Amino acid sequence: MKQTILFFTLLVSVCMNQPVWAQSKKKTVDPVARYDAYVQQAVRDWQVPGLTVTVVKDGKVLLKKGYGVREMGVTGSVDTQTLFAMASTTKAMTAACIGMLVDEGKLQWDDPVVNYLPDFLFYDPAVTREVRVRDLLIHNTGVGNADVLWASMQISSDEILHRMRLIKPSYSLRSSFIYQNIMYLAAGKVIEKVSGIPWDVFVRTRIFEPLGMRRTKALFKEVADEVNRAKPHIEINDTIRAVNSRIEEGLVDAVGPAGSIWTCPDDVASWMICMLDSSRYTIGGTSKTLLKPATWAELFKPQTLVTDSQFYPTQYLTKPVWKTYGLGWFQQDYRGQRVNFHTGSLTGMVAIHGQLPDQKVAVYVQGNLDHAELRHALMYRAFDEFGRPDARLGVDRDWSTEFRQLYGALKQRAKQAERKVDSTRVLNTKPSLPLTAYVGSYADPLYGKVVVTQKDGKLYASINNLLTGYLEHWHFDTFRMVFDQFWNGKEPLSFILDMKGKVALVKGAGMELTKVPEDAQKGR
């Protein structure tokens, strides 16, 4: 009898210490329902106005849903038809378009770019001669960030490429990694040159239409639906505000191949499934592919090392062993598996497209709050829910909470840095000259024009007839520009005097412009 009791006690003890999944099938939770609940809580915790999440696995949609609202303070819920910006997740489509032309024998990955764009010149003639089509897609040309050419001015795509010859290299060709949007614009121009049709038409006819992406638009100016589209939001001084400016949203069209596409869950699911399954899709009951198998595989081959250790702060927690960039895709390891992913960020909009290719799992997240990094949390949570090789491993990390703490700390650090800068202000100083001496036009072949006037007794600046704001005196000859476009915050502008004591230059926001002589200004 004692042996029977002892055996029963041991049996109960073993069962009680088994994982939940092994004790009773009745206690098994539907992973899709659990993930859905997790997303809902994350949206509340991160205070994101609106969000969409799409998850696919083995060629089927597991989840496709909208959360929150399209615009704060306005009635209208996000649904699976709501358009959001794809932003830089557009780049994967542009790379695929180049691949189609490779398949047709119209170009090769390693053709010199100058063969197709003879007027596209770099600062270094050797780079102009040596840069290849592949280089346009992998951020290794040596050119640093040049987003000022489309984010701070309204010039044509051709003029943007023309001005690239004025940008000094940050490093030598193929020796490092600096993220570069303008090179994707050049890739789009290569597509146009080779195919005879603009990039936006090419991507629509060769990707959107075959995949049935009926609501997807290549350019923001094509987004005519002002009802069921998300509006961008940004947090300023701990308050979330909507950015109601079609001008701001439309700036990205100038570099369309780098990030101008808008889509919704009902459409993007087809792209996700296609890119997991060797670019395969079905139309009219017939199976087809966008790309040849070798070309599809080439998109995901590591092309260059990602050497920027600060690019994604999430790596402090996910701790990847290796980080590379393919053709339109970042790559790294996660829990021993290969990950392909890309984020997208525009003013007030975010996106992320992530794949666990070996598990045939992909997740796509879009949101309407500037740099809402819950996108990373939802990607990794989806990988844990639907992509672990052994489902019994369960979900052991609350990425939303961990990333919120990580980014919360970074936010506090940024505020401390701002306070430190404020502490360097020298009080009770005055400008060297009367305000009228700073009035005038300042110009540069690369950065365009800044016009400084007097308004309401203060200096007022207009940058390329796009960005405007009052100049509040900071100290000495440095002013702080308070942008009328509130989402741009504040920016210091310093005026430099020449040896004669006259204003010669204005510097700020990474730009330096020379004051145009008064007689030249009057002559215009």
Side-chain angles (χ1 to χ4, degrees):
M1 183 67 178
K2 289 181 178 180
Q3 290 178 332
T4 301
I5 293 174
L6 178 61
F7 173 77
F8 180 75
T9 301
L10 289 173
L11 181 63
V12 171
S13 177
V14 170
C15 288
M16 289 298 290
N17 285 285
Q18 284 183 321
V20 173
W21 56 263
Q23 290 181 37
S24 172
K25 291 184 178 179
K26 293 181 180 179
K27 295 183 179 180
T28 300
V29 178
D30 175 15
V32 175
R34 180 169 57 194
Y35 181 72
D36 179 27
Y38 188 84
V39 174
Q40 293 180 49
Q41 185 61 51
V43 170
R44 289 192 293 269
D45 291 342
W46 289 78
Q47 297 182 324
V48 177
L51 190 83
T52 68
V53 178
T54 307
V55 181
V56 302
K57 182 174 184 178
D58 295 327
K60 297 180 180 179
V61 176
L62 298 183
L63 177 68
K64 187 173 60 173
K65 188 174 178 180
Y67 304 82
V69 296
R70 300 188 291 264
E71 181 180 0
M72 287 184 63
V74 178
T75 303
S77 299
V78 175
D79 57 36
T80 58
Q81 288 272 299
T82 304
L83 292 172
F84 282 76
M86 286 186 72
S88 284
T89 62
T90 294
K91 289 180 171 66
M93 289 188 173
T94 297
C97 290
I98 290 284
M100 294 173 191
L101 296 173
V102 171
D103 284 345
E104 294 169 5
K106 295 180 179 178
L107 60 74
Q108 299 298 319
W109 294 112
D110 295 312
D111 284 347
V113 173
V114 72
N115 288 2
Y116 305 103
L117 305 177
D119 294 329
F120 179 45
L121 308 179
F122 290 80
Y123 186 88
D124 183 347
V127 176
T128 300
R129 183 179 64 250
E130 295 297 329
V131 74
R132 302 301 195 247
V133 172
R134 184 189 305 272
D135 295 318
L136 300 178
L137 306 174
I138 59 179
H139 312 290
N140 71 345
T141 60
V143 180
N145 186 295
D147 287 345
V148 65
L149 293 177
W150 61 272
S152 297
M153 60 187 76
Q154 291 177 292
I155 57 178
S156 68
S157 297
D158 289 335
E159 178 61 19
I160 290 174
L161 293 183
H162 179 78
R163 294 191 189 188
M164 291 300 289
R165 69 192 67 191
L166 303 175
I167 299 179
K168 295 180 180 180
S170 298
Y171 57 92
S172 59
L173 177 64
R174 305 190 190 102
S175 68
S176 189
F177 177 96
I178 294 182
Y179 193 80
Q180 236 299 335
N181 284 306
I182 309 300
M183 295 306 136
Y184 269 80
L185 168 60
K189 291 295 184 180
V190 170
I191 291 169
E192 180 176 353
K193 180 70 174 183
V194 173
S195 69
I197 58 176
W199 166 83
D200 56 295
V201 177
F202 192 97
V203 73
R204 183 180 73 242
T205 57
R206 300 295 294 272
I207 294 181
F208 303 168
E209 291 177 4
L211 298 184
M213 301 173 71
R214 296 177 179 83
R215 279 184 60 76
T216 302
K217 306 298 181 184
L219 300 169
F220 175 72
K221 67 181 181 182
E222 298 174 352
V223 179
D225 187 349
E226 283 296 316
V227 177
N228 199 9
R229 80 164 178 95
K231 297 294 180 66
H233 296 75
I234 192 167
E235 182 179 326
I236 297 289
N237 298 325
D238 299 321
T239 300
I240 297 174
R241 298 173 61 183
V243 177
N244 287 302
S245 172
R246 282 193 68 93
I247 293 176
E248 176 68 25
E249 292 181 274
L251 292 175
V252 70
D253 284 359
V255 289
S260 66
I261 297 176
W262 282 63
T263 192
C264 63
D266 282 348
D267 282 6
V268 82
S270 299
W271 168 247
M272 296 164 67
I273 292 170
C274 175
M275 292 311 287
L276 275 176
D277 188 19
S278 65
S279 78
R280 193 178 309 279
Y281 66 99
T282 301
I283 183 168
T286 303
S287 178
K288 297 185 177 183
T289 60
L290 295 178
L291 301 161
K292 292 180 180 179
T295 304
W296 172 81
E298 188 70 22
L299 297 178
F300 298 103
K301 286 183 180 179
Q303 304 287 331
T304 188
L305 294 174
V306 176
T307 55
D308 186 349
S309 61
Q310 307 295 322
F311 200 85
Y312 286 119
T314 52
Q315 67 188 20
Y316 293 130
L317 297 179
T318 59
K319 301 184 184 303
V321 176
W322 55 271
K323 297 172 295 178
T324 57
Y325 196 88
L327 299 174
W329 296 86
F330 282 94
Q331 300 159 315
Q332 66 181 49
D333 59 291
Y334 175 67
R335 296 186 186 269
Q337 298 192 71
R338 175 168 55 99
V339 173
N340 301 315
F341 76 104
H342 211 293
T343 53
S345 301
L346 291 171
T347 299
M349 287 283 188
V350 297
I352 194 168
H353 185 181
Q355 294 182 337
L356 281 180
D358 294 337
Q359 302 302 318
K360 300 298 182 185
V361 170
V363 58
Y364 196 92
V365 178
Q366 292 176 289
N368 61 350
L369 178 63
D370 198 78
H371 283 87
E373 302 305 344
L374 88 163
R375 56 182 168 177
H376 291 275
L378 298 182
M379 180 181 75
Y380 288 113
R381 178 71 177 209
F383 290 166
D384 290 347
E385 286 280 14
F386 311 112
R388 308 233 7 212
D390 188 343
R392 295 174 300 174
L393 294 173
V395 178
D396 59 354
R397 299 288 291 269
D398 181 357
W399 289 118
S400 178
T401 297
E402 292 189 47
F403 286 161
R404 199 152 49 88
Q405 292 171 347
L406 170 67
Y407 282 96
L410 293 175
K411 182 178 179 180
Q412 290 304 312
R413 195 178 304 171
K415 288 183 177 180
Q416 291 173 2
E418 186 176 345
R419 287 194 292 269
K420 185 176 181 180
V421 171
D422 290 346
S423 70
T424 65
R425 182 182 187 184
V426 181
L427 300 177
N428 302 316
T429 67
K430 295 182 179 180
S432 301
L433 303 170
L435 293 184
T436 53
Y438 302 90
V439 170
S441 296
Y442 300 77
D444 181 80
L446 175 60
Y447 299 117
K449 184 168 72 171
V450 173
V451 176
V452 178
T453 58
Q454 272 191 285
K455 187 176 180 180
D456 301 325
K458 297 180 180 180
L459 293 181
Y460 187 80
S462 172
I463 301 175
N464 292 313
N465 296 314
L466 178 66
L467 307 176
T468 57
Y470 283 99
L471 302 186
E472 296 180 346
H473 183 249
W474 183 247
H475 63 201
F476 303 114
D477 291 320
T478 295
F479 295 75
R480 180 171 283 188
M481 184 171 179
V482 181
F483 288 96
D484 296 330
Q485 301 75 26
F486 70 87
W487 51 90
N488 290 314
K490 302 177 181 180
E491 187 72 39
L493 292 180
S494 296
F495 293 90
I496 312 299
L497 308 187
D498 62 19
M499 295 183 67
K500 295 180 179 180
K502 295 184 177 181
V503 178
L505 304 169
V506 64
K507 300 174 67 174
M511 303 185 295
E512 180 176 308
L513 301 95
T514 302
K515 190 173 186 183
V516 179
E518 291 184 14
D519 55 347
Q521 294 182 42
K522 293 177 182 179
R524 290 183 176 181

